[in-house]
Amino acid sequence: MEKLFSQDVANQIKDIFKGMVNPITIKLYVDGNCDTCQETTQLLTETAELSDKINLDVIELADAGDDLVTYGIERTPAFIFLDDKGAYRGVKFNGIPAGHEINSFISAIMEMSGVEFKFSDKVLERIAKINKPVDIKVFVTLSCPHCPGAVQTAHRLAMLNSNVKGEMIEAQTFYDLSTKYNVSGVPKIVINDKIELLGNQPVEEFLKKIESL
């Protein structure tokens, strides 16, 4: 099988992964009726081979058991991250993280491992005060250069506050969801199924909408 990563790209990613702090686990859910599950499995497998701190579990949906509820798995391919203590911190991808989304994928790996990302003290205080369930869906296409930034913000909010869940949804793979949420441009951000933002908005704009709930 031909590799998805060229040797040059694999070497670049491997160098980035040298900065990982702690081990992480990626749990990927697939099934036989999924058009992109095989390619997603290959991409994640090639990624995990680039660092001994990445553990990949590939799970057939029929064997997922309690994970379906625990991690809110509703479609395939989907994958979630566990930190070095085995804790789920609300970070999820629905669809293959290819194209520009390789950037949000690599960021999630690094940050889940313990690499710090920079938010101001004021922003961190506002994130810490979120005291209600917040579900952030970010619809993307793989050709969109602005989408990874929105995905990264949603995931960072989730990592910093256990009340928040952030998920990437690849709009073309999950066309039914794109239709349901009237996705006509990306990145489209949907918060708690009722507040919408369009474009790669700054974290302050996310927080403004969350605080208005």
Side-chain angles (χ1 to χ4, degrees), residues 41-68:
T41 301
Q42 184 182 351
L43 189 149
L44 268 61
T45 299
E46 288 185 25
T47 301
E49 289 170 350
L50 298 176
S51 173
D52 58 7
K53 289 185 175 178
I54 302 174
N55 176 53
L56 174 65
D57 292 336
V58 182
I59 302 159
E60 287 287 337
L61 198 64
D63 300 325
D66 292 342
D67 284 7
L68 298 179

mmCIF file of all heavy atoms in Angstrom, residues 41-68:
data_model
loop_
_atom_site.group_PDB
_atom_site.id
_atom_site.type_symbol
_atom_site.label_atom_id
_atom_site.label_comp_id
_atom_site.label_asym_id
_atom_site.label_seq_id
_atom_site.Cartn_x
_atom_site.Cartn_y
_atom_site.Cartn_z
ATOM 1 N N THR A 41 -7.834 5.351 8.750
ATOM 2 C CA THR A 41 -7.037 4.395 9.518
ATOM 3 C C THR A 41 -5.583 4.436 9.082
ATOM 4 O O THR A 41 -4.668 4.439 9.913
ATOM 5 C CB THR A 41 -7.594 2.970 9.358
ATOM 6 O OG1 THR A 41 -8.956 2.941 9.801
ATOM 7 C CG2 THR A 41 -6.781 1.967 10.165
ATOM 8 N N GLN A 42 -5.365 4.503 7.765
ATOM 9 C CA GLN A 42 -3.993 4.547 7.260
ATOM 10 C C GLN A 42 -3.287 5.820 7.713
ATOM 11 O O GLN A 42 -2.132 5.787 8.159
ATOM 12 C CB GLN A 42 -3.970 4.454 5.737
ATOM 13 C CG GLN A 42 -2.549 4.395 5.175
ATOM 14 C CD GLN A 42 -2.501 4.350 3.655
ATOM 15 O OE1 GLN A 42 -3.534 4.203 2.991
ATOM 16 N NE2 GLN A 42 -1.305 4.486 3.094
ATOM 17 N N LEU A 43 -3.985 6.970 7.628
ATOM 18 C CA LEU A 43 -3.366 8.236 8.013
ATOM 19 C C LEU A 43 -2.993 8.230 9.491
ATOM 20 O O LEU A 43 -1.891 8.645 9.870
ATOM 21 C CB LEU A 43 -4.304 9.399 7.693
ATOM 22 C CG LEU A 43 -3.712 10.814 7.838
ATOM 23 C CD1 LEU A 43 -4.364 11.763 6.839
ATOM 24 C CD2 LEU A 43 -3.892 11.368 9.239
ATOM 25 N N LEU A 44 -3.908 7.767 10.337
ATOM 26 C CA LEU A 44 -3.621 7.745 11.773
ATOM 27 C C LEU A 44 -2.545 6.720 12.118
ATOM 28 O O LEU A 44 -1.733 6.945 13.014
ATOM 29 C CB LEU A 44 -4.902 7.476 12.566
ATOM 30 C CG LEU A 44 -5.658 8.741 13.019
ATOM 31 C CD1 LEU A 44 -6.104 9.583 11.842
ATOM 32 C CD2 LEU A 44 -6.855 8.376 13.892
ATOM 33 N N THR A 45 -2.534 5.604 11.409
ATOM 34 C CA THR A 45 -1.502 4.583 11.639
ATOM 35 C C THR A 45 -0.124 5.126 11.278
ATOM 36 O O THR A 45 0.845 4.969 12.043
ATOM 37 C CB THR A 45 -1.800 3.316 10.822
ATOM 38 O OG1 THR A 45 -3.064 2.770 11.229
ATOM 39 C CG2 THR A 45 -0.720 2.263 11.032
ATOM 40 N N GLU A 46 -0.016 5.780 10.119
ATOM 41 C CA GLU A 46 1.258 6.365 9.711
ATOM 42 C C GLU A 46 1.705 7.441 10.702
ATOM 43 O O GLU A 46 2.893 7.570 10.999
ATOM 44 C CB GLU A 46 1.155 6.951 8.302
ATOM 45 C CG GLU A 46 1.061 5.900 7.207
ATOM 46 C CD GLU A 46 1.072 6.496 5.805
ATOM 47 O OE1 GLU A 46 1.593 7.609 5.623
ATOM 48 O OE2 GLU A 46 0.555 5.826 4.887
ATOM 49 N N THR A 47 0.747 8.195 11.220
ATOM 50 C CA THR A 47 1.070 9.231 12.204
ATOM 51 C C THR A 47 1.601 8.612 13.489
ATOM 52 O O THR A 47 2.624 9.050 14.036
ATOM 53 C CB THR A 47 -0.174 10.088 12.509
ATOM 54 O OG1 THR A 47 -0.639 10.697 11.297
ATOM 55 C CG2 THR A 47 0.140 11.166 13.526
ATOM 56 N N ALA A 48 0.910 7.593 13.990
ATOM 57 C CA ALA A 48 1.313 6.958 15.253
ATOM 58 C C ALA A 48 2.692 6.322 15.145
ATOM 59 O O ALA A 48 3.430 6.237 16.148
ATOM 60 C CB ALA A 48 0.273 5.922 15.664
ATOM 61 N N GLU A 49 3.063 5.891 13.941
ATOM 62 C CA GLU A 49 4.378 5.274 13.744
ATOM 63 C C GLU A 49 5.523 6.276 13.880
ATOM 64 O O GLU A 49 6.680 5.885 13.993
ATOM 65 C CB GLU A 49 4.437 4.605 12.368
ATOM 66 C CG GLU A 49 3.584 3.344 12.271
ATOM 67 C CD GLU A 49 3.455 2.835 10.838
ATOM 68 O OE1 GLU A 49 3.870 3.559 9.898
ATOM 69 O OE2 GLU A 49 2.940 1.711 10.658
ATOM 70 N N LEU A 50 5.192 7.574 13.895
ATOM 71 C CA LEU A 50 6.221 8.605 13.931
ATOM 72 C C LEU A 50 6.617 9.014 15.350
ATOM 73 O O LEU A 50 7.508 9.831 15.534
ATOM 74 C CB LEU A 50 5.747 9.842 13.146
ATOM 75 C CG LEU A 50 5.474 9.593 11.659
ATOM 76 C CD1 LEU A 50 4.915 10.835 10.996
ATOM 77 C CD2 LEU A 50 6.736 9.119 10.942
ATOM 78 N N SER A 51 5.939 8.454 16.359
ATOM 79 C CA SER A 51 6.304 8.742 17.749
ATOM 80 C C SER A 51 5.908 7.589 18.651
ATOM 81 O O SER A 51 4.792 7.059 18.538
ATOM 82 C CB SER A 51 5.621 10.016 18.242
ATOM 83 O OG SER A 51 5.863 10.193 19.635
ATOM 84 N N ASP A 52 6.815 7.221 19.554
ATOM 85 C CA ASP A 52 6.482 6.157 20.507
ATOM 86 C C ASP A 52 5.592 6.669 21.635
ATOM 87 O O ASP A 52 5.208 5.903 22.527
ATOM 88 C CB ASP A 52 7.740 5.506 21.068
ATOM 89 C CG ASP A 52 8.678 6.476 21.773
ATOM 90 O OD1 ASP A 52 8.285 7.660 21.950
ATOM 91 O OD2 ASP A 52 9.794 6.071 22.147
ATOM 92 N N LYS A 53 5.235 7.960 21.585
ATOM 93 C CA LYS A 53 4.328 8.519 22.588
ATOM 94 C C LYS A 53 2.873 8.549 22.103
ATOM 95 O O LYS A 53 1.996 9.042 22.814
ATOM 96 C CB LYS A 53 4.770 9.935 22.981
ATOM 97 C CG LYS A 53 6.056 9.932 23.800
ATOM 98 C CD LYS A 53 6.425 11.317 24.295
ATOM 99 C CE LYS A 53 7.654 11.236 25.201
ATOM 100 N NZ LYS A 53 8.077 12.561 25.671
ATOM 101 N N ILE A 54 2.635 8.037 20.899
ATOM 102 C CA ILE A 54 1.264 7.986 20.369
ATOM 103 C C ILE A 54 0.806 6.543 20.316
ATOM 104 O O ILE A 54 1.404 5.705 19.631
ATOM 105 C CB ILE A 54 1.179 8.608 18.960
ATOM 106 C CG1 ILE A 54 1.652 10.062 18.970
ATOM 107 C CG2 ILE A 54 -0.260 8.526 18.439
ATOM 108 C CD1 ILE A 54 1.738 10.693 17.595
ATOM 109 N N ASN A 55 -0.248 6.233 21.061
ATOM 110 C CA ASN A 55 -0.853 4.906 21.035
ATOM 111 C C ASN A 55 -2.170 5.000 20.266
ATOM 112 O O ASN A 55 -3.006 5.848 20.576
ATOM 113 C CB ASN A 55 -1.118 4.410 22.460
ATOM 114 C CG ASN A 55 -1.840 3.075 22.478
ATOM 115 O OD1 ASN A 55 -1.408 2.118 21.851
ATOM 116 N ND2 ASN A 55 -2.955 3.011 23.182
ATOM 117 N N LEU A 56 -2.343 4.170 19.257
ATOM 118 C CA LEU A 56 -3.557 4.184 18.436
ATOM 119 C C LEU A 56 -4.357 2.910 18.654
ATOM 120 O O LEU A 56 -3.837 1.803 18.511
ATOM 121 C CB LEU A 56 -3.183 4.323 16.952
ATOM 122 C CG LEU A 56 -4.340 4.211 15.954
ATOM 123 C CD1 LEU A 56 -5.328 5.355 16.126
ATOM 124 C CD2 LEU A 56 -3.811 4.169 14.520
ATOM 125 N N ASP A 57 -5.635 3.076 19.003
ATOM 126 C CA ASP A 57 -6.573 1.957 19.080
ATOM 127 C C ASP A 57 -7.610 2.125 17.975
ATOM 128 O O ASP A 57 -8.282 3.161 17.920
ATOM 129 C CB ASP A 57 -7.301 1.933 20.427
ATOM 130 C CG ASP A 57 -6.387 1.603 21.590
ATOM 131 O OD1 ASP A 57 -5.342 0.955 21.355
ATOM 132 O OD2 ASP A 57 -6.703 1.996 22.720
ATOM 133 N N VAL A 58 -7.725 1.132 17.097
ATOM 134 C CA VAL A 58 -8.733 1.156 16.039
ATOM 135 C C VAL A 58 -9.852 0.203 16.444
ATOM 136 O O VAL A 58 -9.605 -0.992 16.688
ATOM 137 C CB VAL A 58 -8.143 0.748 14.678
ATOM 138 C CG1 VAL A 58 -9.215 0.835 13.588
ATOM 139 C CG2 VAL A 58 -6.955 1.646 14.323
ATOM 140 N N ILE A 59 -11.069 0.723 16.539
ATOM 141 C CA ILE A 59 -12.183 -0.026 17.121
ATOM 142 C C ILE A 59 -13.343 -0.076 16.135
ATOM 143 O O ILE A 59 -13.786 0.964 15.626
ATOM 144 C CB ILE A 59 -12.641 0.643 18.439
ATOM 145 C CG1 ILE A 59 -11.465 0.724 19.426
ATOM 146 C CG2 ILE A 59 -13.829 -0.097 19.053
ATOM 147 C CD1 ILE A 59 -11.649 1.762 20.509
ATOM 148 N N GLU A 60 -13.815 -1.263 15.859
ATOM 149 C CA GLU A 60 -15.018 -1.414 15.036
ATOM 150 C C GLU A 60 -16.218 -0.893 15.818
ATOM 151 O O GLU A 60 -16.356 -1.161 17.016
ATOM 152 C CB GLU A 60 -15.239 -2.875 14.666
ATOM 153 C CG GLU A 60 -14.262 -3.431 13.630
ATOM 154 C CD GLU A 60 -14.549 -2.890 12.235
ATOM 155 O OE1 GLU A 60 -15.701 -2.467 11.968
ATOM 156 O OE2 GLU A 60 -13.604 -2.886 11.413
ATOM 157 N N LEU A 61 -17.071 -0.161 15.141
ATOM 158 C CA LEU A 61 -18.213 0.456 15.813
ATOM 159 C C LEU A 61 -19.051 -0.583 16.555
ATOM 160 O O LEU A 61 -19.535 -0.327 17.653
ATOM 161 C CB LEU A 61 -19.064 1.202 14.781
ATOM 162 C CG LEU A 61 -20.048 2.239 15.342
ATOM 163 C CD1 LEU A 61 -19.310 3.371 16.028
ATOM 164 C CD2 LEU A 61 -20.930 2.792 14.225
ATOM 165 N N ALA A 62 -19.186 -1.773 15.969
ATOM 166 C CA ALA A 62 -19.988 -2.827 16.592
ATOM 167 C C ALA A 62 -19.387 -3.313 17.907
ATOM 168 O O ALA A 62 -20.089 -3.902 18.741
ATOM 169 C CB ALA A 62 -20.130 -4.003 15.624
ATOM 170 N N ASP A 63 -18.079 -3.053 18.093
ATOM 171 C CA ASP A 63 -17.393 -3.492 19.315
ATOM 172 C C ASP A 63 -17.136 -2.347 20.283
ATOM 173 O O ASP A 63 -16.436 -2.516 21.286
ATOM 174 C CB ASP A 63 -16.042 -4.136 18.943
ATOM 175 C CG ASP A 63 -16.197 -5.344 18.036
ATOM 176 O OD1 ASP A 63 -17.194 -6.075 18.204
ATOM 177 O OD2 ASP A 63 -15.337 -5.544 17.156
ATOM 178 N N ALA A 64 -17.704 -1.177 19.996
ATOM 179 C CA ALA A 64 -17.371 0.017 20.778
ATOM 180 C C ALA A 64 -18.002 0.024 22.155
ATOM 181 O O ALA A 64 -17.504 0.674 23.077
ATOM 182 C CB ALA A 64 -17.783 1.271 20.016
ATOM 183 N N GLY A 65 -19.117 -0.678 22.322
ATOM 184 C CA GLY A 65 -19.734 -0.793 23.638
ATOM 185 C C GLY A 65 -20.060 0.541 24.283
ATOM 186 O O GLY A 65 -20.630 1.437 23.657
ATOM 187 N N ASP A 66 -19.621 0.703 25.541
ATOM 188 C CA ASP A 66 -19.924 1.910 26.314
ATOM 189 C C ASP A 66 -19.262 3.173 25.748
ATOM 190 O O ASP A 66 -19.670 4.282 26.074
ATOM 191 C CB ASP A 66 -19.484 1.730 27.771
ATOM 192 C CG ASP A 66 -20.310 0.686 28.506
ATOM 193 O OD1 ASP A 66 -21.414 0.357 28.015
ATOM 194 O OD2 ASP A 66 -19.858 0.204 29.557
ATOM 195 N N ASP A 67 -18.240 2.978 24.902
ATOM 196 C CA ASP A 67 -17.560 4.144 24.324
ATOM 197 C C ASP A 67 -18.522 5.027 23.541
ATOM 198 O O ASP A 67 -18.337 6.245 23.466
ATOM 199 C CB ASP A 67 -16.435 3.704 23.377
ATOM 200 C CG ASP A 67 -15.200 3.222 24.125
ATOM 201 O OD1 ASP A 67 -15.274 3.104 25.362
ATOM 202 O OD2 ASP A 67 -14.181 2.967 23.470
ATOM 203 N N LEU A 68 -19.543 4.424 22.952
ATOM 204 C CA LEU A 68 -20.488 5.198 22.147
ATOM 205 C C LEU A 68 -21.125 6.308 22.969
ATOM 206 O O LEU A 68 -21.300 7.434 22.492
ATOM 207 C CB LEU A 68 -21.578 4.277 21.570
ATOM 208 C CG LEU A 68 -21.109 3.177 20.619
ATOM 209 C CD1 LEU A 68 -22.298 2.343 20.174
ATOM 210 C CD2 LEU A 68 -20.386 3.761 19.414
#
